[in-house]
Amino acid sequence: MKALISAIFVAATLGSALPASAAGDHGHGAMPMAAATDGMSEGMVKKIDTAKGKITIKHGPLKNLGMPGMTMVFKAGSMDMLTKVKPGDTVHFLAEEVDGALTVTQLESAQ
């Protein structure tokens, strides 16, 4: 029992002493954002590239993918998605791996 308590104390002490990059920031310019409803994540559209069918989103954690918050370029699940939002918009979205590419499969404006 004493060993278990010591192990818990050591783990708690080490966890609080980690630098921000080891504690989840990962140096990707993560922004603190609340998770959206229905398993969707929240983010801000930074860029839209209709020619390539891509959208850049600065987002909070993507729990379904086990990823921390960062800014990423995603493939758009449909071209229609790219006409519904513009840079600066806050969005709720779901990103999934589709055929090896991180793809936004659901996207809606948060406003």
Side-chain angles (χ1 to χ4, degrees), residues 84-96:
K84 293 182 178 182
V85 295
K86 64 185 180 315
D89 285 355
T90 300
V91 293
H92 294 154
F93 70 101
L94 181 62
E96 300 177 277

Side-chain angles (χ1 to χ4, degrees), residues 6-111:
S6 294
I8 293 170
F9 174 76
V10 169
T13 303
L14 288 175
S16 64
L18 292 174
S21 61
D25 180 355
H26 299 283
H28 292 287
M31 61 191 292
M33 298 184 126
T37 58
D38 299 327
M40 296 176 82
S41 298
E42 184 173 275
M44 179 184 293
V45 176
K46 301 302 279 180
K47 181 180 177 183
I48 295 173
D49 186 339
T50 53
K52 293 183 180 179
K54 301 199 180 227
I55 183 169
T56 304
I57 302 174
K58 184 175 184 178
H59 61 80
L62 303 180
K63 291 185 179 183
N64 66 314
L65 296 173
M67 299 179 85
M70 64 182 83
T71 301
M72 295 180 63
V73 178
F74 297 94
K75 181 178 175 185
S78 72
M79 292 302 287
D80 185 49
M81 287 180 182
L82 302 178
T83 62
K84 293 182 178 182
V85 295
K86 64 185 180 315
D89 285 355
T90 300
V91 293
H92 294 154
F93 70 101
L94 181 62
E96 300 177 277
E97 189 170 338
V98 177
D99 297 327
L102 290 178
T103 304
V104 174
T105 57
Q106 295 179 41
L107 180 71
E108 57 190 47
S109 176
Q111 281 92 10

